[in-house]
Amino acid sequence: TGFLPRRDPLPVLPSYFEKLDEILHEMPILKSDGTLGLLHTGRLGARIERELPMYDVEFVFDRRILAALYRDYSVLASAYLLEPCDIQFRLTRNYGLARRILPANIAVPLETIARRLAQKPFLEHSTFTFYNYRRKDQEQPVSLDNIEPIRRFSGCDKEHNFIVGHVAAARHTDAAVAASLGVLRSAQHNQRGEFNAALRQYADAMGRVNEILAQTLQGCGDYASFRTFLNGCRAQSMFNSGVLFEKLGNTAAHKYLGVAQSSSPIASLGTHLFQLSNLSPRGSLPCADGVDQLRAPNFRSFLGHVDSQARSLGVQSYALRCSESSAAYVLALSQVLAYRYRQWANLRDSVPVQSAKDNAAFHGYLDIQTSH
């Protein structure tokens, strides 16, 4: 399955969490039935504070239910915290300030679930994409016309395309994962022909990934209409000094990268496998900035293995010692960079620059994203 879960994400929570499910259904700016939701007029925060129960999640051990709860609570947390920024952005094209305190009825269960899953209690890329889809026809494979998002912020077409595009593209990452292991294995045993073949297989798999994303992420369009909710609470002007989680007995502010400041594990795989930090002028890449630590344990373990093996074997230098291998390496690398460029272009086209300080910070971040 590559980076997709072995089983499709759980689309509906158990009945015990009925009110949480209800609020998330009512939340999007534009709901699936065409009516306006809670975020449209800024009513979400009050609804959460007034109606969301303090659910006890200590009894939940089923991994599929935990993953669904992690998705739903982290989506709700981002919506609650960034709701004022979305309203301000729609009025003035500036973000303003986010809410700084996450209420206990979100913070406590989210922290418990995140700890049980060995993840950070904040929305990250894979949760919003790879764990946020349902198949319309269970008998048909994952494809652009057979999947739809489970949770959404804006409800716009661009948000739909962003989610389903990443999911449909990730269907081809099983071939990329297999090829990456083939690259490492053949380098370890000095099997030059197999090494070159594995590089070409990786390039082919990533080419299919990029082809799907090219169909679904054309231009920024309505991207700005939901991007506000993808911001993290680390080094972002709308949060100043992070987020406080109510009733956790820890007064330290939480600071995490969000979906918009991180990247998918697909990008990190190419970065580690091909040792792209060696090509970066400052040796700095997004995955070296703590992004991999936000991922699920299985992703962290796999990406860590690829990184350590690639360094130990010297995949890059091994490729560059042979002209045929160098050509195959550059072919694979071109697909990795095409994938990263598409992420960068979406970011570039959708971020409002609010001040000279924001401008410097934004371009510094883009430099890191594109320094390789």
Side-chain angles (χ1 to χ4, degrees):
T1 62
F3 288 111
L4 290 181
R6 289 187 178 90
R7 296 177 63 191
D8 286 357
L10 194 67
V12 179
L13 296 175
S15 58
Y16 173 73
F17 299 100
E18 180 181 8
K19 181 56 70 171
L20 173 60
D21 223 357
E22 176 189 311
I23 291 175
L24 284 162
H25 177 73
E26 296 291 325
M27 181 182 77
I29 293 172
L30 181 65
K31 297 191 296 182
S32 57
D33 63 3
T35 60
L36 299 176
L38 298 171
L39 284 173
H40 178 73
T41 52
R43 293 175 290 131
L44 177 69
R47 180 80 172 267
I48 288 171
E49 293 164 3
R50 184 177 64 249
E51 297 184 17
L52 182 64
M54 174 69 86
Y55 283 114
D56 178 10
V57 296
E58 293 288 350
F59 69 92
V60 181
F61 292 95
D62 182 280
R63 302 290 292 187
R64 194 163 176 242
I65 297 176
L66 282 170
L69 285 169
Y70 179 71
R71 174 198 66 215
D72 288 355
Y73 270 111
S74 59
V75 164
L76 193 63
S78 290
Y80 177 86
L81 293 169
L82 290 158
E83 181 180 35
C85 296
D86 175 65
I87 294 172
Q88 180 76 4
F89 181 78
R90 281 187 273 144
L91 290 173
T92 68
R93 309 306 285 179
N94 290 318
Y95 282 138
L97 294 176
R99 293 185 173 109
R100 187 159 183 253
I101 299 176
L102 190 65
N105 55 358
I106 301 177
V108 173
L110 176 57
E111 180 80 11
T112 301
I113 295 161
R115 185 171 61 251
R116 191 159 288 171
L117 293 174
Q119 292 188 244
K120 305 296 184 184
F122 209 83
L123 185 64
E124 56 87 37
H125 197 287
S126 299
T127 303
F128 188 61
T129 53
F130 303 158
Y131 287 82
N132 189 28
Y133 74 92
R134 78 177 98 215
R135 272 190 275 189
K136 299 174 186 176
D137 184 345
Q138 292 296 318
E139 302 302 316
Q140 298 301 313
V142 170
S143 61
L144 287 174
D145 58 358
N146 191 41
I147 56 175
E148 59 187 1
I150 297 172
R151 304 302 183 196
R152 296 185 291 176
F153 292 111
S154 75
C156 70
D157 289 343
K158 193 64 180 182
E159 184 180 34
H160 175 278
N161 291 345
F162 180 88
I163 296 169
V164 303
H166 278 90
V167 173
R171 183 188 171 202
H172 298 289
T173 56
D174 56 347
V177 167
S180 67
L181 295 176
V183 167
L184 296 174
R185 184 171 54 252
S186 54
Q188 182 179 14
H189 297 291
N190 193 25
Q191 297 170 324
R192 181 65 66 178
E194 288 81 354
F195 180 79
N196 296 342
L199 286 174
R200 288 190 289 269
Q201 289 163 8
Y202 187 92
D204 183 61
M206 284 301 299
R208 293 196 295 274
V209 167
N210 285 324
E211 184 179 350
I212 290 174
L213 291 179
Q215 295 176 40
T216 54
L217 302 184
Q218 290 286 350
C220 71
D222 295 332
Y223 188 57
S225 71
F226 69 95
R227 188 199 178 279
T228 301
F229 300 105
L230 306 187
N231 279 297
C233 54
R234 170 180 158 188
Q236 296 295 305
S237 61
M238 66 278 287
F239 281 104
N240 287 331
S241 54
V243 174
L244 296 176
F245 280 36
E246 190 178 46
K247 289 188 180 178
L248 285 182
N250 183 355
T251 58
H254 293 245
K255 299 179 181 181
Y256 304 110
L257 296 171
V259 176
Q261 288 78 41
S262 62
S263 58
S264 90
I266 302 172
S268 289
L269 174 59
T271 298
H272 293 315
L273 180 63
F274 300 120
Q275 298 183 271
L276 297 190
S277 59
N278 293 350
L279 303 179
S280 170
R282 292 187 298 276
S284 178
L285 287 168
C287 62
D289 195 29
V291 171
D292 281 351
Q293 297 309 308
L294 299 176
R295 307 194 194 286
N298 56 334
F299 289 176
R300 291 201 304 268
S301 176
F302 173 68
L303 293 171
H305 168 74
V306 171
D307 184 44
S308 63
Q309 286 291 100
R311 290 175 185 272
S312 174
L313 297 169
V315 167
Q316 186 182 103
S317 61
Y318 183 77
L320 299 180
R321 286 201 295 269
C322 166
S323 59
E324 186 178 350
S325 296
S326 295
Y329 177 86
V330 170
L331 179 66
L333 191 60
S334 68
Q335 294 296 338
V336 174
L337 297 184
Y339 183 90
R340 280 205 176 276
Y341 176 79
R342 188 162 285 107
Q343 310 299 305
W344 169 81
N346 269 326
L347 179 68
R348 175 201 62 194
D349 293 342
S350 66
V351 174
V353 176
Q354 304 179 49
S355 67
K357 181 179 178 182
D358 287 343
N359 183 66
F362 174 61
H363 283 283
Y365 175 68
L366 288 186
D367 283 347
I368 291 175
Q369 285 280 22
T370 57
S371 59
H372 54 289

